[in-house]
Amino acid sequence: MQPIEKMLQRLPVVLFQLQIFDNGQLAFPYITESAFALLGYNAPEIVSNSSLIISKIHKQDAFGLKRIFVSSAQTLSIVDFDLRYNHTEKGIIWINITAKPERDESGTIWYGSLKNVTKEKEMKSTVVENEKKYRATIENSLNGFIIGKDGAVIDANEAAIKMFGYDSLDDMKQKQRADFFDDKSEEYLKIKRERTINGKARGEVHGIKKNGDYFPCIMFSNFFIDANGSSNTINSFIDISEEIEANEKLIKIQQLLTQAELLAEIGSSELDYKTGKFLWSDGFYKIHGLQPNGQEITNEISEQFLHPDDRHKIKLMEEAFIEKKDHLEFDSKIIRTDGKIRDISSYWKFTYDKEGNPLKMYGVVQDITEKKEQEKELKLLNHELVLKAQKLISYNNELERFAYVASHDLQEPLRNISGSLQLLKIKYQEQLDERAIEFINNSIDSSKRMKQLIIDLLEFSRVDSAHLEIKKVQLSDVINEVLTTLSPIIKQEQATIEVGQLPVVYGIRTQIVQLFQNLIGNALKYKSNKREPLVKIAVTEQETEWKITVRDNGLGIDARYYDKIFVIFQRLHKKTEYNGTGIGLAICKKIIETHGGSIGVTSEVGVGSCFYFTLPKK
């Protein structure tokens, strides 16, 4: 073999001469020995019988190749054509033929090369399929997607076009980044900084519609530099305008952020009914427990993942085609390859040809197993709460009966003791000295205080009685009733009671009457000796409740005792200074807590106190 032939043998292409005579006959006057590796025939075989390889060309490609060579012969244009060749051992391969024509006396002769381009074709096909997957994913998404390059829009889905108020993608491509959101705002700059460090970021920004209106949205942004040094961004947007307007901004944002965190549990798919080819996204594979592109998926394989209890839902698809539905959604269970059972939510969209035959099916599925499990925690907890509530009602009823019976049983011996002491004092008063009379009087007073303690304890136990009904209560009527009851002491102390505009509240009327009677009564009892009593009652409206204040100009309370005064039987003064059992404010606290509110106090010694509490609007 000559050196030049050795060099030609090592080339990655096959060089040839092809001659077509005026009578239409063709021949290969010359072809390199590397033809055997590409075409399956050696050079002498091809030169002596060109039909060997011509017959191996795919019929459709052979027709197109002939037309191109005819045109090349007429115009002397270069031939550049890809064709399918049926190799005896390798099967169908793709070959690129490139040739330049020249005319001679006998016809046209081409000098060219043949090259195996099968891998390039397969790579191109993969790119096309990935483009389909990408398009199916973003077009089936409710989120807006905008793809940018060097600050300009190069692609966007329908959701983004509508979200930003544009008419078409071409309309959006005329705009720059600053036309869609304020890229000088602190919110965007924060996302940009995070994206520069991590390659991705998320946050809340204000989008700008075509008409200039601003709207709040959540932005998920990914950033990368391509091989050409261009800056590329993939941005996803969720419009949260309605949630902001509905006063549920914080809750909804958290839900949307949670959904965004679970995007890895969402998968998309496409089924071409003409070719039978089933395409799954990486997320779809993951949900089913498979490695992405680990195996070729068919419709039959997909159906095998369905749990036996849900196999009947395959008929839903058949019925959807019969009824020409454009979409279908349902929940079902699947059995993954690792044997785990998962709950998924499915949404399917269908397209049809003019005759009504199904063309393609696009699907989006989401793993909702954890959501289903949470619904089962919640049901169990609700059941447990109901049982505990029933037990508490039972305990409260028992405690109420105990307190009632105990108080009555305790009062009977007290009446006997007090009565016996009274008789002893009357009958033997002349025979007893002053010391004995003092002992008897002290015992009688103690029995009276004990009786009052029992009465107050019974009253305290009745505060949260379950049988009392919650109703509308007009506070102005309550205050009038209390002031009528306390009118003797109000006159006696020359007290002034100032009452502002009072609303309607929801509660137990008898308890609310007792609440105000205790607070106003305390204000009159613990008055200052330096001034006449003044009590002011005011109300402030809040979102779901009323805040009510009862302010006085009495003795005041040291801040150290703010918590102590609401504890049952706690007193800040001696019995010789002020009568009572120290249970009044404890009853007030229990009444407020029974109504779902709170109570507190602020005070200054020598100036006065302000008791504040809340009652529900409804």
Side-chain angles (χ1 to χ4, degrees):
M1 185 181 292
Q2 297 298 321
I4 187 66
E5 288 295 330
K6 290 184 178 180
M7 292 177 61
L8 294 176
Q9 183 72 11
R10 291 185 174 91
L11 288 175
V13 297
V14 175
L15 302 182
F16 68 87
Q17 284 182 326
L18 173 65
Q19 188 169 12
I20 299 180
F21 300 98
D22 290 339
N23 62 3
Q25 296 296 317
L26 61 84
F28 285 92
Y30 174 77
I31 190 166
T32 59
E33 285 296 333
S34 54
F36 181 77
L38 178 63
L39 303 174
Y41 298 100
N42 58 39
E45 289 176 322
I46 297 173
V47 170
S48 63
N49 185 6
S50 61
S51 63
L52 288 175
I53 62 172
I54 299 299
S55 63
K56 294 287 186 177
I57 299 175
H58 192 282
K59 291 183 178 179
Q60 292 181 356
D61 297 338
F63 177 78
L65 184 64
K66 181 178 180 181
R67 186 172 55 187
I68 288 174
F69 270 103
V70 170
S71 174
S72 176
Q74 294 173 351
T75 62
L76 295 181
S77 59
I78 294 176
V79 172
D80 189 351
F81 185 73
D82 292 342
L83 57 85
R84 286 164 287 183
Y85 182 82
N86 189 9
H87 194 284
T88 304
E89 296 178 357
K90 299 177 183 178
I92 297 295
I93 62 173
W94 281 92
I95 296 176
N96 172 261
I97 178 170
T98 305
K100 182 177 181 181
E102 291 183 1
R103 294 284 296 175
D104 63 11
E105 299 172 352
S106 58
T108 306
I109 188 167
W110 282 265
Y111 300 88
S113 63
L114 302 173
K115 182 180 179 182
N116 190 333
V117 292
T118 304
K119 290 184 178 180
E120 289 85 343
K121 283 288 186 179
E122 290 176 348
M123 290 178 63
K124 185 176 180 180
S125 176
T126 300
V127 170
V128 172
E129 294 300 328
N130 287 338
E131 172 65 19
K132 289 181 180 180
K133 291 181 182 179
Y134 152 77
R135 181 55 57 186
T137 299
I138 70 169
E139 289 302 338
N140 281 288
S141 174
L142 297 178
N143 299 347
F145 281 87
I146 296 181
I147 316 301
K149 188 171 187 176
D150 294 331
V153 174
I154 61 172
D155 197 6
N157 68 346
E158 189 65 24
I161 295 172
K162 291 181 179 180
M163 186 182 297
F164 287 87
Y166 286 84
D167 299 323
S168 65
L169 176 58
D170 290 336
D171 196 12
M172 292 187 76
K173 286 183 177 180
Q174 306 300 318
K175 304 296 182 179
Q176 296 294 313
R177 177 174 57 215
D179 295 312
F180 300 104
F181 45 84
D182 185 359
D183 60 359
K184 301 295 191 301
S185 67
E186 181 59 33
E187 294 87 350
Y188 175 76
L189 293 176
K190 182 179 178 181
I191 293 174
K192 186 177 180 181
R193 288 193 294 269
E194 182 181 343
R195 188 180 65 187
T196 301
I197 297 172
N198 302 322
K200 60 182 180 179
R202 67 185 181 193
E204 182 180 345
V205 297
H206 279 88
I208 305 175
K209 292 182 180 291
K210 183 179 180 181
N211 62 7
D213 290 344
Y214 281 70
F215 67 97
C217 60
I218 299 296
M219 176 181 180
F220 301 88
S221 184
N222 290 269
F223 171 81
F224 64 93
I225 303 294
D226 62 22
N228 298 321
S230 298
S231 300
N232 294 266
T233 57
I234 302 176
N235 299 318
S236 174
F237 299 91
I238 302 175
D239 188 341
I240 56 172
S241 302
E242 294 182 1
E243 291 72 23
I244 298 296
E245 294 171 0
N247 232 354
E248 297 175 353
K249 176 180 177 181
L250 293 179
I251 297 175
K252 193 61 179 180
I253 288 178
Q254 184 59 45
Q255 292 174 342
L256 292 172
L257 288 177
T258 300
Q259 287 183 337
E261 293 290 344
L262 295 175
L263 281 178
E265 299 297 326
I266 295 177
S268 60
S269 67
E270 175 189 317
L271 174 59
D272 190 321
Y273 283 97
K274 286 191 173 181
T275 64
K277 195 165 186 179
F278 214 153
L279 300 178
W280 281 13
S281 69
D282 289 353
F284 216 98
Y285 276 98
K286 183 178 178 181
I287 288 174
H288 289 76
L290 297 170
Q291 290 296 324
N293 300 313
Q295 69 179 91
E296 185 176 353
I297 301 299
T298 65
N299 195 26
E300 291 74 17
I301 292 176
S302 176
E303 292 175 357
Q304 288 176 6
F305 283 98
L306 273 174
H307 191 281
D309 293 344
D310 286 335
R311 290 283 173 86
H312 66 280
K313 293 185 178 179
I314 296 175
K315 293 184 177 180
L316 295 176
M317 297 284 189
E318 300 170 357
E319 293 172 357
F321 295 141
I322 295 173
E323 298 173 11
K324 299 299 182 291
K325 290 184 177 180
D326 63 349
H327 73 279
L328 178 67
E329 54 185 319
F330 57 83
D331 294 346
S332 60
K333 292 182 181 293
I334 62 170
I335 303 178
R336 294 171 22 133
T337 54
D338 56 10
K340 294 181 179 179
I341 298 176
R342 306 294 289 179
D343 289 288
I344 63 169
S345 176
S346 307
Y347 180 91
W348 306 94
K349 187 170 181 63
F350 312 107
T351 60
Y352 303 88
D353 60 18
K354 293 181 180 179
E355 288 73 32
N357 300 312
L359 288 175
K360 290 188 177 183
M361 176 178 72
Y362 302 94
V364 177
V365 300
Q366 182 176 17
D367 191 322
I368 58 172
T369 306
E370 283 71 25
K371 181 181 177 182
K372 290 281 188 179
E373 289 298 322
Q374 289 175 0
E375 290 175 355
K376 292 180 182 178
E377 286 173 7
L378 285 175
K379 290 181 179 179
L380 180 60
L381 286 175
N382 285 337
H383 179 66
E384 291 177 352
L385 287 174
V386 169
L387 293 178
K388 288 181 178 180
Q390 291 173 347
K391 287 182 179 179
L392 285 174
I393 292 173
S394 177
Y395 291 156
N396 285 337
N397 289 337
E398 290 178 4
L399 287 173
E400 183 180 351
R401 287 193 296 270
F402 171 79
Y404 184 81
V405 172
S407 62
H408 280 72
D409 290 348
L410 287 173
Q411 289 185 60
E412 179 60 29
L414 282 176
R415 284 193 292 269
N416 291 335
I417 293 172
S418 179
S420 298
L421 289 172
Q422 292 282 5
L423 291 174
L424 182 63
K425 179 181 178 181
I426 293 171
K427 187 172 183 179
Y428 298 100
Q429 186 171 10
E430 300 297 331
Q431 302 174 27
L432 299 173
D433 58 15
E434 293 181 1
R435 186 76 168 167
I437 296 297
E438 182 181 354
F439 288 154
I440 292 174
N441 288 336
N442 288 340
S443 299
I444 293 173
D445 290 341
S446 295
S447 66
K448 289 181 179 179
R449 286 197 301 273
M450 184 63 180
K451 180 179 180 181
Q452 187 60 48
L453 282 172
I454 293 171
I455 293 172
D456 288 346
L457 181 62
L458 178 61
E459 191 66 35
F460 184 80
S461 70
R462 288 175 172 173
V463 167
D464 57 352
S465 296
H467 63 275
L468 297 176
E469 187 178 357
I470 301 291
K471 293 182 178 180
K472 288 183 178 180
V473 178
Q474 176 56 259
L475 285 188
S476 58
D477 295 340
V478 169
I479 297 300
N480 289 336
E481 181 179 335
V482 171
L483 295 183
T484 298
T485 302
L486 297 176
S487 60
I489 191 172
I490 293 174
K491 291 178 182 178
Q492 176 184 327
E493 301 295 342
Q494 296 183 336
T496 301
I497 312 296
E498 295 182 358
V499 182
Q501 188 70 27
L502 298 177
V504 172
V505 299
Y506 277 76
I508 302 169
R509 191 181 190 284
T510 56
Q511 292 184 2
I512 296 176
V513 170
Q514 186 177 15
L515 169 70
F516 279 100
Q517 188 165 311
N518 286 356
L519 292 176
I520 297 173
N522 279 356
L524 298 176
K525 179 191 290 187
Y526 301 106
K527 65 183 181 60
S528 171
N529 294 326
K530 299 178 181 179
R531 51 188 172 270
E532 294 178 346
L534 172 63
V535 180
K536 296 182 178 180
I537 302 173
V539 178
T540 303
E541 183 175 7
Q542 297 182 338
E543 186 175 356
T544 60
E545 58 192 6
W546 300 100
K547 183 178 180 181
I548 303 166
T549 58
V550 179
R551 187 184 302 274
D552 64 54
N553 63 347
L555 297 177
I557 303 169
D558 192 307
R560 294 176 297 174
Y561 304 118
Y562 283 177
D563 293 331
K564 183 179 179 181
I565 61 174
F566 293 105
V567 179
I568 189 171
F569 299 139
Q570 294 292 317
R571 296 171 53 89
L572 301 185
H573 304 278
K574 296 179 180 179
K575 295 189 293 290
T576 55
E577 295 176 334
Y578 297 93
N579 61 5
T581 59
I583 202 171
L585 288 178
I587 290 177
C588 291
K589 184 174 184 293
K590 196 170 184 183
I591 289 173
I592 291 301
E593 290 177 347
T594 299
H595 285 74
S598 60
I599 187 170
V601 64
T602 58
S603 184
E604 184 177 351
V605 176
V607 177
S609 302
C610 178
F611 287 87
Y612 57 88
F613 56 91
T614 57
L615 288 172
K617 286 184 176 179
K618 59 181 179 179

